[in-house]
Amino acid sequence: MKILKKIDYNSPIILSFALVSFVALLLGYITGGKSTQVLFCVYRSSAANPLTYIRLFGHVLGHADLSHYINNMMMLLLVGPMLEEKYGSKLLFLMILITAFLTGLFNIMLFPNTALLGASGVVFMMIILSSVTSVKEGTIPLTLIVVVILYLGQQIMAGLFTPDNISQFTHILGGILGGVFGLVIKKNTENP
């Protein structure tokens, strides 16, 4: 029991996100995918339906299967704790909410016949945000350039040439949001 007392819940937003996503995945398995469709997947539906607004945020918690979940959570758990330590839990939570809302909203507007689920928009936001954290005034970190070329460039190419069920647009928008968040926060902390 002493070992349990030594375990630190070191990144509450990231760990809670991973845990709630896992519960959503389990619910999806238990309900044969119904809960995922109703709560954790965003698609065009009536503005009068209150679940429409829940899905605008909840879609980042839903995953198609265990492999989808693990792929997103591995990156989230690698990059997220560092960002939560740097920016704080409240600010990181706000960035996740904004990313969830905007990726969900744009999916509804631009891809009305396509459902969206998964944390990959949030993950791409964090990948680019982590690269922006080392920006110094008047410079562009080479790591940022390489990450943008590798991650976002690959998504653009896949979106253009690979027919699949992956929303490259969500990845790209998440990455753009990560860059914007990083630059805006940096500017506001340098010039209060």
Side-chain angles (χ1 to χ4, degrees):
M1 289 313 243
K2 281 186 175 184
I3 191 132
L4 290 178
K5 290 182 180 183
K6 293 185 180 226
I7 296 174
D8 181 26
Y9 203 73
N10 64 312
S11 187
I13 295 300
I14 297 304
L15 290 168
S16 296
F17 188 101
L19 181 62
V20 173
S21 292
F22 186 70
V23 170
L25 181 67
L26 289 178
L27 281 172
Y29 282 130
I30 292 167
T31 63
K34 262 309 198 201
S35 62
T36 302
Q37 182 181 1
V38 172
L39 298 172
F40 304 112
C41 185
V42 70
Y43 46 86
R44 185 171 285 179
S45 60
S46 170
N49 182 347
L51 292 176
T52 298
Y53 304 99
I54 291 171
R55 287 189 291 262
L56 275 172
F57 296 96
H59 72 95
V60 298
L61 300 171
H63 291 86
D65 54 34
L66 186 59
S67 175
H68 185 209
Y69 169 81
I70 288 172
N71 287 332
N72 278 327
M73 292 308 118
M74 282 182 15
M75 287 302 293
L76 186 92
L77 290 164
L78 283 171
V79 178
M82 173 205 52
L83 294 173
E84 190 167 349
E85 185 177 322
K86 178 167 179 61
Y87 294 109
S89 297
K90 288 179 186 177
L91 187 55
L92 185 63
F93 183 64
L94 180 62
M95 288 186 266
I96 291 170
L97 287 177
I98 291 169
T99 301
F101 176 73
L102 289 177
T103 55
L105 184 64
F106 275 89
N107 188 76
I108 289 171
M109 292 181 345
L110 300 176
F111 308 101
N113 300 319
T114 303
L116 176 66
L117 78 154
S120 57
V122 171
V123 168
F124 272 79
M125 176 270 289
M126 289 184 181
I127 290 168
I128 300 301
L129 178 61
S130 69
S131 297
V132 174
T133 59
S134 62
V135 170
K136 295 177 185 133
E137 191 172 331
T139 67
I140 300 171
L142 182 57
T143 54
L144 174 61
I145 295 168
V146 172
V147 166
V148 167
I149 290 170
L150 291 177
Y151 278 93
L152 294 183
Q154 188 268 340
Q155 291 304 303
I156 292 168
M157 296 303 290
L160 293 173
F161 302 112
T162 307
D164 56 23
N165 288 329
I166 298 171
S167 176
Q168 284 84 14
F169 178 78
T170 300
H171 299 168
I172 294 166
L173 180 56
I176 290 168
L177 289 170
V180 169
F181 293 149
L183 294 174
V184 167
I185 292 165
K186 184 137 185 81
K187 182 176 180 178
N188 287 337
T189 56
E190 288 176 353
N191 304 317

